[in-house]
Amino acid sequence: MKFEVIEKSKKKRWIIGSIAVIGLISIGIYAGSYAKYQNIEDIKLVEGNINYKPYDFKMMAMYKSDDGTNYTEIDKTPRSNYKINEEKSYCTLNNVDKDNSARIYTDRFGHHVFNNLSKNSKCYIWFDKNTEVVNTVLGNIEVNNYIPDFSEAATTDEGIQQVSDGMYGGTSYYWRGAATTNYLKFGGYCWRIIRINGDGTIRLIYDGTTCHANGEETTDSIAVENVVYNSSYNKSEYVGWTYTEGLQRPVNNNEGTSSNAKTKLEEWYNTNLKSQESKIADGKYCNDRNVESGQSWSSTPSSMFLYTGYKRIYTDYAPTLNCGSLDTYTLKVGLITADEVEFAGGKNADNKQYYLYNGQHYWTMSPYWSQSDGEIVMFAVRGDNSGWLGHGYVKWTDLDIRPVINLRSDITISSGNGTLENPYIVA
């Protein structure tokens, strides 16, 4: 959340963190006001500091409701799974007249916004639950109705989000941050639920022979250690899950030479999960080999070029579940994509809190860039940099494989609620 203060000079101060107004406010507010005092006070917070004009406004009371009818008074701003009720909330001038110029709302990213406040404004705020209940193969789940800020790593449990699913159609529901309700046991192993796909199948990433808490560093959640993505490494086509020499992608993705990662992963699958195949869906996996606009693909480039995932993940912060048909593989087992890592809360910054961190380095299926010296690079989740979404050269031997599978939409959950102590159990 962000708190914005605008002085008469129009200079802005941006604050990220939490603010104490009435008691301790655990999640910050994003606000703006016209200040008439020059003294700046510094308030110590749970996470960081906040600078603000103390006489700009006062929060007189806050209330929240989970059903839109029954409200209880609160002294902490609720998280972004609540939104401001614009009809009920208001500010006053001198505690008498309603301030009609003030604007109070929750934006589409879940930020609580206060604009055009005057000196001595006093505000009364009502919050409604910003979620909906969706029926899925797991039963009813509560899904948030705002867009996360993908420019920030998700270090807390941000619940279940939703996004249009370009590969499966419909809407996908994905877990983000330090998720606590996405544990599932299947085939003798523990898994973390990445998302429920648009067709109702469940996408899982391997968590090991036992379930592990968020932040735990363990090799148990790795299926195959020290795997080069591709034994061949000096041509751009070697970013491919399968590849054909001299081509950006095979003319048919059922053809071509398998990457080393694909071969090792399928060997593990055939040994450990083949007997459970009747419950495993034919999943869709993206190996996006499109090149950034204005650049050209070359098998042996004279200068570096970027794959489209680089800008999407690192510059635009706009992950997607869309994928071109020739880059979409239908498989029983594959790897996570860089987009899915960013949806889950990873970015090019430290994050030991989100559920994909395990202290290890492991491959994604997403190409990163190709260089003129023949160094070909994939996105990877890095353990040495605290779980950030980084990269690995296809020839590196210190990265691992963490399998991803999709369970059929008609499986039965026999018990569990998805927590570490009580994971979902597939019958």
Side-chain angles (χ1 to χ4, degrees):
M1 299 293 176
K2 298 176 182 176
F3 188 111
E4 179 184 0
V5 175
I6 306 177
E7 299 178 351
K8 280 186 173 181
S9 64
K10 305 296 185 181
K11 294 182 179 179
K12 298 181 179 180
R13 294 180 178 87
W14 292 91
I15 301 94
I16 299 175
S18 308
I19 173 173
V21 179
I22 301 175
L24 178 64
I25 295 179
S26 59
I27 304 296
I29 301 174
Y30 173 65
S33 65
Y34 291 98
K36 296 186 178 181
Y37 286 77
Q38 297 305 312
N39 293 327
I40 300 292
E41 290 191 2
D42 193 54
I43 304 271
K44 294 294 183 182
L45 303 171
V46 175
E47 297 178 357
N49 298 326
I50 180 170
N51 296 311
Y52 79 111
K53 298 283 187 180
Y55 302 112
D56 284 348
F57 73 97
K58 296 179 180 179
M59 196 82 72
M60 297 305 295
M62 295 186 293
Y63 309 88
K64 77 172 183 179
S65 172
D66 288 344
D67 59 12
T69 302
N70 300 300
Y71 289 85
T72 57
E73 189 168 3
I74 56 176
D75 62 1
K76 298 179 182 179
T77 54
R79 296 180 57 188
S80 48
N81 55 345
Y82 286 83
K83 62 182 177 181
I84 293 173
N85 184 319
E86 296 182 46
E87 292 184 1
K88 294 180 69 70
S89 301
Y90 65 94
C91 296
T92 65
L93 295 171
N94 300 315
N95 208 27
V96 177
D97 300 319
K98 187 174 181 178
D99 186 355
N100 293 318
S101 65
R103 189 181 176 205
I104 310 168
Y105 65 98
T106 301
D107 69 16
R108 65 193 184 103
F109 300 107
H111 298 145
H112 303 319
V113 181
F114 294 67
N115 280 334
N116 296 329
L117 298 181
S118 302
K119 175 187 173 184
N120 293 329
S121 289
K122 297 180 180 179
C123 301
Y124 301 80
I125 313 298
W126 279 261
F127 294 92
D128 292 327
K129 202 71 177 288
N130 194 18
T131 61
E132 63 179 294
V133 175
V134 177
N135 184 259
T136 70
V137 63
L138 299 176
N140 289 336
I141 60 174
E142 192 173 86
V143 179
N144 293 322
N145 283 326
Y146 64 89
I147 301 172
D149 185 353
F150 295 114
S151 70
E152 298 292 334
T155 58
T156 62
D157 186 357
E158 296 190 8
I160 303 172
Q161 313 286 345
Q162 55 185 306
V163 66
S164 178
D165 194 332
M167 286 195 291
Y168 287 92
T171 300
S172 183
Y173 306 105
Y174 64 94
W175 277 252
R176 178 169 168 82
T180 56
T181 61
N182 67 338
Y183 290 90
L184 182 146
K185 285 190 173 180
F186 167 73
Y189 301 103
C190 189
W191 304 79
R192 302 299 292 268
I193 302 170
I194 299 172
R195 57 189 169 103
I196 298 174
N197 300 314
D199 66 348
T201 54
I202 309 174
R203 197 171 189 87
L204 310 173
I205 189 167
Y206 183 73
D207 199 39
T209 56
T210 61
C211 296
H212 300 282
N214 295 328
E216 182 178 346
E217 298 184 5
T218 176
T219 58
D220 182 53
S221 57
I222 295 299
V224 189
E225 296 183 72
N226 301 326
V227 177
V228 295
Y229 181 85
N230 216 329
S231 302
S232 300
Y233 59 85
N234 60 350
K235 294 181 180 179
S236 299
E237 54 264 35
Y238 299 145
V239 300
W241 194 242
T242 62
Y243 62 91
T244 298
E245 294 285 349
L247 297 181
Q248 186 171 354
R249 53 178 64 85
V251 293
N252 184 321
N253 56 23
N254 292 319
E255 300 176 354
T257 303
S258 293
S259 65
N260 183 63
K262 179 177 186 292
T263 299
K264 296 299 183 183
L265 179 60
E266 291 176 347
E267 288 174 357
W268 179 89
Y269 172 87
N270 290 331
T271 300
N272 296 278
L273 284 180
K274 188 72 172 178
S275 62
Q276 302 290 326
E277 194 162 90
S278 63
K279 297 178 181 178
I280 299 174
D282 292 326
K284 296 181 180 181
Y285 297 86
C286 187
N287 181 217
D288 181 9
R289 287 162 287 197
N290 288 312
V291 173
E292 186 59 47
S293 176
Q295 301 183 11
S296 299
W297 184 90
S298 172
S299 175
T300 55
S302 58
S303 60
M304 183 184 75
F305 65 81
L306 303 175
Y307 292 94
T308 54
Y310 184 95
K311 183 174 183 289
R312 189 168 64 243
I313 298 300
Y314 285 160
T315 304
D316 296 340
Y317 303 111
T320 181
L321 296 183
N322 296 331
C323 191
S325 59
L326 289 179
D327 288 333
T328 301
Y329 287 83
T330 300
L331 307 165
K332 288 294 185 182
V333 63
L335 299 179
I336 198 168
T337 66
D339 295 85
E340 289 173 323
V341 175
E342 190 158 275
F343 276 124
K347 62 185 297 290
N348 55 333
D350 293 355
N351 188 357
K352 286 189 175 183
Q353 287 74 40
Y354 78 136
Y355 76 90
L356 290 177
Y357 174 75
N358 63 358
Q360 313 304 317
H361 318 314
Y362 55 94
W363 295 110
T364 77
M365 264 180 90
S366 302
Y368 190 91
W369 68 34
S370 292
Q371 297 182 167
S372 58
D373 57 2
E375 296 290 1
I376 312 304
V377 184
M378 301 291 292
F379 277 97
V381 178
R382 302 293 301 178
D384 54 352
N385 288 304
S386 301
W388 77 338
L389 180 56
H391 69 274
Y393 291 81
V394 296
K395 66 180 181 179
W396 281 359
T397 60
D398 65 338
L399 277 81
D400 308 320
I401 284 178
R402 198 172 180 186
V404 172
I405 62 172
N406 296 267
L407 295 184
R408 291 167 55 101
S409 60
D410 59 358
I411 58 133
T412 299
I413 302 296
S414 61
S415 63
N417 61 7
T419 61
L420 174 63
E421 299 78 14
N422 190 21
Y424 293 114
I425 304 295
V426 177

